Amino acid sequence: MSSLCKTVKVIALIMLVLGVLSIIFGAVMFVNAGALDAADGGAASAQTAGIIMIATGVFYLIAGISGALGANNPSKLGTFIVLCVIIMLVNVAGVALVLTGGSGSPVYNIAYAVVALVAAVCAARAKKDAADRLL
């Protein structure tokens, strides 16, 4: 396994762990939303955020599995590359929303975007190297 494939596998496993954690935290947030004050819309907002976290977690979980499996056979990294580009674009959009007047900190979005970009670049290079070896 090349060093690029090892890097892809490590990043994919990190994405897999982030996906599982996001699903767990989203489920906890959704279930415990009823404890918030309903007058401010807190319960509905918490439930919505929980659903979004669960959906994001599933997406990261799929990307992580795709990358971990693709690292063993670099010619099958196309799906992982596409998922990483989508993750990067969504996080860049999140940064743009925060910077144009949204609330929160863009630090996590920036970190996720950089990790997804690095993963996509490494996966593309690993895929190209594997194709070049076959020729």
Side-chain angles (χ1 to χ4, degrees):
M1 181 180 288
S2 71
S3 63
L4 287 171
C5 288
K6 289 178 185 176
T7 303
V8 169
K9 186 163 258 192
V10 168
I11 292 173
L13 292 175
I14 290 169
M15 292 175 106
L16 194 103
V17 169
L18 287 174
V20 170
L21 290 174
S22 183
I23 290 170
I24 291 169
F25 290 140
V28 169
M29 183 181 287
F30 184 82
V31 170
N32 291 329
L36 297 174
D37 186 19
D40 295 332
S45 295
Q47 285 180 333
T48 303
I51 291 170
I52 291 171
M53 282 183 82
I54 292 169
T56 303
V58 169
F59 197 77
Y60 272 83
L61 191 66
I62 292 169
I65 291 170
S66 171
L69 294 175
N72 295 329
N73 186 359
S75 64
K76 296 183 179 181
L77 281 172
T79 305
F80 181 67
I81 295 168
V82 170
L83 291 173
C84 285
V85 169
I86 291 170
I87 289 170
M88 184 193 63
L89 292 174
V90 168
N91 281 296
V92 167
V95 170
L97 286 173
V98 170
L99 294 178
T100 59
S103 62
S105 172
V107 174
Y108 293 112
N109 292 95
I110 292 170
Y112 288 147
V114 169
V115 168
L117 177 64
V118 169
V121 169
C122 288
R125 287 183 180 172
K127 186 175 179 177
K128 185 180 180 309
D129 286 349
D132 289 346
R133 272 187 253 128
L134 292 176
L135 296 177

